[in-house]
């Protein structure tokens, strides 16, 4: 596991989802917590949690015996600001009373958060979301969890096959309006609210970095964001200060696992000399392959049953539209 600080005496640890796309983590919630702590200049270790990708407790922050989870109260940043055991981490004192504070926070936590959520899970091909959350899981489990989240996002935004174009247009229009307002608010300043950082900067920088680095170039959200020159400049400047260049991996796991693996096998077979003959498989090898196939099928069945049972709790009154579901894979 990587560490953000080399000092072994440091008791603070931020636990986030894995690094990817050249970022310490590409999970928007985890990245905003990371940036907030960096802006607070608090030394901390950075640990990566690879299990339970759908847990709403991640990110969480450990300070000695105190633990602050993301699903507490209003989220991890608000908890860090108010928890005296962690220390004085309130970046918002003196700026939260400004008239721009409330409308800016509302735009960041509703319009832009919704737009990024939609783009990650529904608007694009799903490869970014898969690599951020599920690429370390066995392929069948990751695929089923992605499917479950995909439908959850559609339900949240009341998207059906009859209104998908209208809903998508609304989401992108609100996001672009938010970018326009933030561009005007920022101007040529170093931070959103003037000369000092706040939690709003942490939330917006996390959003912007995921949009610019994790989404594909064809992303509508990335295209709209890139039209605002001062926002792009602001993000690049802050990124240089907060994230060490080359410290985190930019490679990611292919989302189309089945297609990529079969293509790879095809290219390998073509590269073999014509005179080479494949060795006849032994009885044991054939038995092993057959058992491996049964194991994969059993995994898929078990996960589907598990998801079906769990989705029955608390979601009985929600209608799911499966008629034209396009999952972005297969």
């Amino acid at each position: 596991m990587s560490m953000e600080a080399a000092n072994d005496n440091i008791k603070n640890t931020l636990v986030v989802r894995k690094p990817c796309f050249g970022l310490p983590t590409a999970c928007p919630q985890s990245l905003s917590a990371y940036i907030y702590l960096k802006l607070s200049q608090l030394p901390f270790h950075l640990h990566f949690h690879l299990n339970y990708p759908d847990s709403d407790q991640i990110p969480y922050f450990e300070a000695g015996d105190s633990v602050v989870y993301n699903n507490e109260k209003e989220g991890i940043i608000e908890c860090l600001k108010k928890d005296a055991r962690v220390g004085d981490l309130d970046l918002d004192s003196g700026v939260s009373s400004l008239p721009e504070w409330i409308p800016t926070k509302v735009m960041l936590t509703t319009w832009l958060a919704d737009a990024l959520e939609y783009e990650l899970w529904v608007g694009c091909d799903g490869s970014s979301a898969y690599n951020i959350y599920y690429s370390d899981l066995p392929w069948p489990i990751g695929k089923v969890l992605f499917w479950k989240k995909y439908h959850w996002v559609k339900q949240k935004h009341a998207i059906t096959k009859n209104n998908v174009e209208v809903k998508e247009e609304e989401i992108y229009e609100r996001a672009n309006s938010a970018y326009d307002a933030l561009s005007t608010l920022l101007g040529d300043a170093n931070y959103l609210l003037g000369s000092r950082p706040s939690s709003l900067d942490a939330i917006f920088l996390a959003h912007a970095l995921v949009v610019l680095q994790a989404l594909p170039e064809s992303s509508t959200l990335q295209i709209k964001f890139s039209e605002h020159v001062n926002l792009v400049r602001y993000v690049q400047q802050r990124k240089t200060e907060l994230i060490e260049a080359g410290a985190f991996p930019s490679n990611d796991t292919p989302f189309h696992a089945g297609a990529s693996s079969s293509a790879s096998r095809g290219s390998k077979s073509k590269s073999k000399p014509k005179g080479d003959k494949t060795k006849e498989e032994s009885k044991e090898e054939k038995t092993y392959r057959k058992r491996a196939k049964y194991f994969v099928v059993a995994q898929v069945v078990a996960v589907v049953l598990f998801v079906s049972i769990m989705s029955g709790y608390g979601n009985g009154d929600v209608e799911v539209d499966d008629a034209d579901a396009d999952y972005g894979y297969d």
Side-chain angles (χ1 to χ4, degrees):
M1 290 187 178
S2 300
M3 292 187 178
E4 181 61 27
N7 188 351
D8 291 336
N9 293 325
I10 295 174
K11 302 293 185 181
N12 305 316
T13 301
L14 177 66
V15 181
V16 299
R17 292 184 171 92
K18 69 169 188 175
C20 55
F21 300 108
L23 299 171
T25 174
C27 163
Q29 292 80 15
S30 296
L31 187 57
S32 62
Y34 172 90
I35 294 175
Y36 185 82
L37 291 173
K38 294 287 286 186
L39 291 173
S40 302
Q41 299 183 353
L42 179 75
F44 63 96
H45 295 293
L46 184 62
H47 284 192
F48 304 118
H49 198 297
L50 304 181
N51 301 319
Y52 307 108
D54 55 346
S55 172
D56 60 357
Q57 290 186 335
I58 304 171
Y60 59 88
F61 183 76
E62 300 174 343
D65 297 330
S66 174
V67 182
V68 176
Y69 294 99
N70 184 57
N71 62 348
E72 295 180 16
K73 301 176 185 177
E74 298 177 332
I76 187 171
I77 290 180
E78 290 299 318
C79 290
L80 289 173
K81 287 162 54 176
K82 299 173 182 177
D83 195 333
R85 297 169 296 178
V86 176
D88 185 12
L89 296 183
D90 189 0
L91 294 177
D92 300 337
S93 59
V95 294
S96 58
S97 59
L98 295 175
E100 300 90 349
W101 177 266
I102 293 179
T104 302
K105 186 171 183 178
V106 169
M107 283 191 300
L108 292 173
T109 56
T110 56
W111 289 2
L112 291 187
D114 288 346
L116 181 54
E117 182 180 62
Y118 175 82
E119 193 82 331
L120 280 172
W121 298 100
V122 181
C124 294
D125 62 2
S127 59
S128 298
Y130 181 84
N131 281 289
I132 293 170
Y133 296 97
Y134 305 132
S135 61
D136 290 307
L137 298 176
W139 177 76
I141 297 176
K143 199 167 184 179
V144 170
L145 289 176
F146 177 90
W147 172 86
K148 180 183 177 184
K149 181 71 173 184
Y150 167 87
H151 278 285
W152 183 88
V153 173
K154 290 186 69 176
Q155 291 172 13
K156 176 183 176 182
H157 297 285
I159 297 172
T160 67
K161 63 179 180 180
N162 297 322
N163 68 3
V164 59
E165 293 183 0
V166 175
K167 288 289 186 179
E168 184 175 275
E169 186 177 355
E170 289 177 358
I171 290 171
Y172 289 137
E173 282 183 355
R174 289 172 180 172
N176 197 50
S177 297
Y179 291 152
D180 288 341
L182 290 168
S183 178
T184 301
L185 177 65
L186 177 65
D188 295 325
N190 291 326
Y191 298 99
L192 290 177
L193 297 178
S195 59
R196 51 173 290 191
S198 69
S199 64
L200 300 185
D201 292 280
I203 297 170
F204 178 62
L205 285 169
H207 168 92
L209 287 169
V210 174
V211 167
L212 293 175
Q213 295 193 212
L215 295 179
E217 293 182 356
S218 59
S219 160
T220 302
L221 206 57
Q222 185 180 115
I223 293 171
K224 290 183 178 296
F225 185 92
S226 299
E227 294 171 352
H228 300 79
V229 179
N230 68 328
L231 293 183
V232 175
R233 170 192 56 80
Y234 157 75
V235 173
Q236 294 300 334
Q237 288 179 345
R238 302 290 80 79
K239 176 188 171 185
T240 303
E241 298 170 358
L242 301 171
I243 301 175
E244 182 182 352
F248 302 101
S250 58
N251 59 309
D252 53 320
T253 304
F255 184 54
H256 302 278
S260 62
S261 59
S262 61
S264 176
R265 287 194 296 270
S267 63
K268 287 182 180 178
S269 62
K270 291 179 181 178
S271 65
K272 291 181 180 179
K274 292 182 180 180
D276 287 355
K277 293 183 179 180
T278 305
K279 293 183 179 180
E280 185 178 355
E281 290 182 334
S282 66
K283 200 171 192 179
E284 292 79 6
E285 288 175 331
K286 291 181 179 179
T287 302
Y288 174 79
R289 288 178 181 273
K290 185 179 292 186
R291 288 177 177 174
K293 291 179 181 179
Y294 285 138
F295 175 73
V296 172
V297 172
Q299 271 191 319
V300 174
V301 173
V303 173
V304 171
L305 289 174
F306 172 77
V307 172
S308 299
I309 294 171
M310 293 303 294
S311 62
Y313 293 96
N315 294 322
D317 57 341
V318 180
E319 180 181 354
V320 180
D321 180 16
D322 291 329
D324 67 334
D326 180 9
Y327 304 119
Y329 51 79
D330 288 343

